[in-house]
Amino acid sequence: DRFLQFLEEKQLNPTHFMGFGDSQSDFAMADELQKRGKDVTFVYTGEKEKLGVIHKSYPIVYETGYTQGTLRYLQRADSVSADVRN
């Protein structure tokens, strides 16, 4: 709530949100954003085998290792954005 309120106060209107986490309970962030009509992708950085089968209506990307997985994903996303801009 506070983060979305902050964005609204700053008159920022992102078109896409990213959630990152390494446990099943972290999906609540993406679930709430989707419930509010936001476009969201969740990057799961925990061990995929421990997660089990999970079904969501938004994209889930798997990257092992919370810190390193997050960094790898963001570096890849940044290079894709650079390609799109060029």
Side-chain angles (χ1 to χ4, degrees), residues 35-49:
K35 184 174 124 183
R36 292 173 183 235
K38 308 296 184 187
D39 184 34
V40 63
T41 297
F42 189 83
V43 180
Y44 182 74
T45 57
E47 296 178 34
K48 189 176 180 180
E49 304 78 38

Side-chain angles (χ1 to χ4, degrees), residues 15-42:
T15 59
H16 188 81
F17 290 83
M18 302 293 303
F20 292 82
D22 62 352
S23 69
Q24 193 159 358
S25 62
D26 292 328
F27 283 92
M29 295 178 287
D31 293 345
E32 184 64 26
L33 286 165
Q34 185 181 48
K35 184 174 124 183
R36 292 173 183 235
K38 308 296 184 187
D39 184 34
V40 63
T41 297
F42 189 83

Side-chain angles (χ1 to χ4, degrees), residues 1-14 17 32-33 36 38:
D1 284 336
R2 291 187 310 179
F3 180 69
L4 292 175
Q5 183 180 5
F6 169 82
L7 292 175
E8 186 176 311
E9 288 170 0
K10 298 294 181 184
Q11 298 180 351
L12 299 171
N13 189 22
F17 290 83
E32 184 64 26
L33 286 165
R36 292 173 183 235
K38 308 296 184 187

Side-chain angles (χ1 to χ4, degrees), residues 45-57:
T45 57
E47 296 178 34
K48 189 176 180 180
E49 304 78 38
K50 290 185 179 180
L51 182 61
V53 177
I54 191 162
H55 299 284
K56 300 289 183 178
S57 56

